[in-house]
Amino acid sequence: MELNNQSYQIQGLEMIELTKKYGTPLYVYDGEKILSQVKLLQEAFSSVDLKIKYATKALSNINILKLLKKAGTGIDAVSIEEVKLGMHAGFEPSEIMYTPNCVSFEEIQDAVELGVMINIDNIPMLEHFGKVYGNSVPICVRLNPHIMAGGNAKISVGHIDSKFGISILQLKHILKVVEAYGLNVIGLHVHTGSDILEAEVFLKGAEILFDAAREFRDLKFLDFGGGFKVAYKEGDISTNILDVGQKVSAAFKQFCLEYGRKLELWFEPGKFLVSESGYLLVRTNVIKSTPASTFVGVDSGLNHLIRPMMYDAYHGVVNISNPTGEQHIYSVVGYICETDTIAADRKMNDVKEGDIIAIRNAGAYGFSMASNYNSRLKPAEVLILGGKDYLIRERETFEDILKHQIDIGL
Ligand SMILES: *Cc1c(COP(=O)(O)O)cnc(C)c1O
């Protein structure tokens, strides 16, 4: 979003006008930003055979998936529903990586039937898979390298007592199962968590992956997961993607030389591709002053954006109705009956009732984690592409709240 002629705009469209046209609360995505993030990643890894598998769970509107398909990515899906959504959006099964955790074997069988790449996350499932499919279906194995990384315990998934992946300490056990059933392992995967800043963390993960990879002869790819950090605050540092690209590519090429074959290098970014593209636009219902704070109460809350409450995430807030006003300190809070502080003690230009607040970095894990808590409706979503706005999801109606309820006639 840019400030042009005293109004906040995305691709030349005034954000305030979008809220007049579509109402609030409203999710708005800058499609060009998503495309430029894809390009950035492709350029950073231009010296290797990079495959991007967009982490669908970050933002799963089919139009976003189609946009990414056009940009040349595949997807990572963590549920059979995401697999089906990806196929509905036009992805070939071969472009879909299915990375489930603690799902039933039946669900894995459904995914095999759909023809997607299966990423196996635990030893019992590996054995089960071997018994049923032997070497007839190629698979990837998810390893847990036990690297503590990431911004928050809830999004750090690589540590020793994490439920994700098969411990690298159990590599011998994995190899036994692979040998016993003649499993055709063509990929190895690590995903250490979100908000990884340093090339060094990726390199550490890479070294562990390379060591394990030497034990498998038929690999076609190594998958380094997602987790690139993006800037949420002004002055925040984001992952230096060019630095990561250079260092990881160099180490990867060296490994391929040793391995004797060129492999594909996969990444599964979610946040990196869509976080900064998204804004949640909300309307100020009330300004409430207490002796301690001035609250800006808005027409949204943890039902639409749970990250501030769930992960203590920082989301920038801007009063787009008053681009030039004097600054004061406010706390932006939601309308849910629960403490749902969206932003505490922030500077914003003088806020009046009715003003529209833009909440930044709402592209990733925003709408996809939204709920109907307090029987509220989920917002509409708008995609901006080529300077035009497209409604890509209708605002829910009261009928949606009743839709699956069964009145037993009491
Ligand atoms: C969530 C997830 C990702 C994406 O993580 P980001 O932090 O959004 O980049 C990638 N791979 C897997 C397996 C995931 O579960």
Side-chain angles (χ1 to χ4, degrees):
M1 102 185 183
E2 292 162 355
L3 189 54
N4 279 335
N5 303 322
Q6 317 238 335
S7 79
Y8 282 100
Q9 302 179 352
I10 297 174
Q11 295 175 39
L13 295 181
E14 295 199 12
M15 294 169 82
I16 291 287
E17 292 305 316
L18 294 172
T19 65
K20 287 182 189 156
K21 184 167 172 185
Y22 299 106
T24 58
L26 183 69
Y27 271 103
V28 177
Y29 310 112
D30 179 349
E32 306 297 334
K33 177 67 183 170
I34 297 175
L35 295 176
S36 70
Q37 289 296 96
V38 172
K39 239 195 201 134
L40 191 56
L41 194 56
Q42 286 168 338
E43 279 165 15
F45 287 90
S46 57
S47 71
V48 294
D49 191 0
L50 174 74
K51 294 275 186 286
I52 300 173
K53 306 281 168 182
Y54 166 62
T56 307
K57 72 179 193 285
L59 173 60
S60 50
N61 187 291
I62 51 171
N63 299 281
I64 301 293
L65 298 180
K66 286 181 179 191
L67 181 67
L68 284 159
K69 159 105 183 123
K70 273 194 175 170
T73 83
I75 58 165
D76 181 76
V78 293
S79 68
I80 197 74
E81 288 82 0
E82 283 189 355
V83 169
K84 290 176 184 169
L85 209 52
M87 289 174 66
H88 180 87
F91 287 96
E92 297 296 329
S94 60
E95 297 171 311
I96 301 176
M97 170 74 142
Y98 171 58
T99 304
N101 175 259
C102 296
V103 303
S104 68
F105 190 67
E106 287 72 28
E107 185 171 318
I108 291 181
Q109 284 180 299
D110 289 347
V112 169
E113 238 135 78
L114 292 173
V116 300
M117 174 56 59
I118 312 287
N119 194 2
I120 302 227
D121 163 90
N122 60 73
I123 288 178
M125 215 47 95
L126 197 63
E127 290 196 279
H128 217 120
F129 199 92
K131 276 180 203 154
V132 175
Y133 297 107
N135 69 352
S136 65
V137 178
I139 52 167
C140 176
V141 173
R142 179 174 187 169
L143 297 171
N144 186 334
H146 304 309
I147 296 173
M148 185 67 190
N152 181 298
K154 287 186 193 132
I155 52 178
S156 180
V157 296
H159 50 90
I160 192 93
D161 54 0
S162 159
K163 69 164 185 165
F164 294 98
I166 306 176
S167 169
I168 191 73
L169 305 172
Q170 293 172 298
L171 184 60
K172 282 220 166 78
H173 193 165
I174 297 172
L175 291 169
K176 258 191 213 154
V177 177
V178 167
E179 196 170 328
Y181 299 101
L183 284 165
N184 184 15
V185 179
I186 65 164
L188 292 180
H189 168 273
V190 292
H191 170 66
T192 45
S194 265
D195 286 358
I196 301 167
L197 203 51
E198 311 278 342
E200 278 62 35
V201 175
F202 279 102
L203 280 175
K204 226 163 106 187
E207 283 309 326
I208 294 170
L209 205 49
F210 298 154
D211 275 344
R214 291 185 180 100
E215 308 289 334
F216 297 84
R217 283 323 306 165
D218 304 310
L219 294 177
K220 296 206 167 83
F221 66 89
L222 294 180
D223 183 340
F224 293 84
F228 300 121
K229 186 176 167 67
V230 297
Y232 275 72
K233 260 182 240 191
E234 209 151 310
D236 248 8
I237 13 177
S238 42
T239 305
N240 183 339
I241 205 75
L242 293 175
D243 185 46
V244 170
Q246 209 171 39
K247 289 178 177 158
V248 174
S249 297
F252 185 75
K253 281 190 282 192
Q254 182 58 40
F255 172 76
C256 289
L257 269 180
E258 258 178 63
Y259 192 71
R261 182 141 33 99
K262 272 197 181 162
L263 302 179
E264 294 172 0
L265 192 166
W266 291 18
F267 273 112
E268 303 163 347
K271 227 177 237 182
F272 179 80
L273 296 185
V274 298
S275 172
E276 294 158 290
S277 78
Y279 303 86
L280 176 57
L281 304 183
V282 298
R283 188 176 177 277
T284 305
N285 285 335
V286 66
I287 317 253
K288 185 169 172 179
S289 290
T290 70
S293 318
T294 305
F295 291 106
V296 171
V298 300
D299 63 351
S300 185
L302 63 75
N303 51 331
H304 300 150
L305 183 67
I306 204 170
R307 299 190 75 257
M309 280 59 73
M310 188 148 157
Y311 306 125
D312 291 323
Y314 182 105
H315 285 261
V317 283
V318 181
N319 180 4
I320 61 171
S321 296
N322 185 7
T324 54
E326 205 182 303
Q327 293 208 311
H328 304 288
I329 304 282
Y330 298 98
S331 288
V332 181
V333 296
Y335 61 5
I336 291 296
C337 287
E338 190 101 36
T339 298
D340 59 347
T341 306
I342 296 163
D345 300 326
R346 304 287 184 78
K347 271 191 192 160
M348 282 197 297
N349 294 357
D350 192 47
V351 185
K352 292 193 190 56
E353 252 177 51
D355 280 0
I356 305 295
I357 310 295
I359 305 170
R360 289 174 169 275
N361 287 86
Y365 310 105
F367 190 95
S368 67
M369 293 180 88
S371 75
N372 291 111
Y373 189 41
N374 281 203
S375 297
R376 292 289 185 182
L377 312 177
K378 287 189 200 163
E381 293 179 289
V382 166
L383 174 64
I384 303 184
L385 206 55
K388 280 200 195 130
D389 51 303
Y390 301 90
L391 184 65
I392 58 171
R393 185 191 300 268
E394 293 175 355
R395 182 176 306 287
E396 283 186 342
T397 63
F398 183 64
E399 282 66 47
D400 292 313
I401 301 291
L402 282 175
K403 193 168 177 192
H404 297 292
Q405 301 197 39
I406 297 169
D407 189 335
I408 60 169
L410 296 179

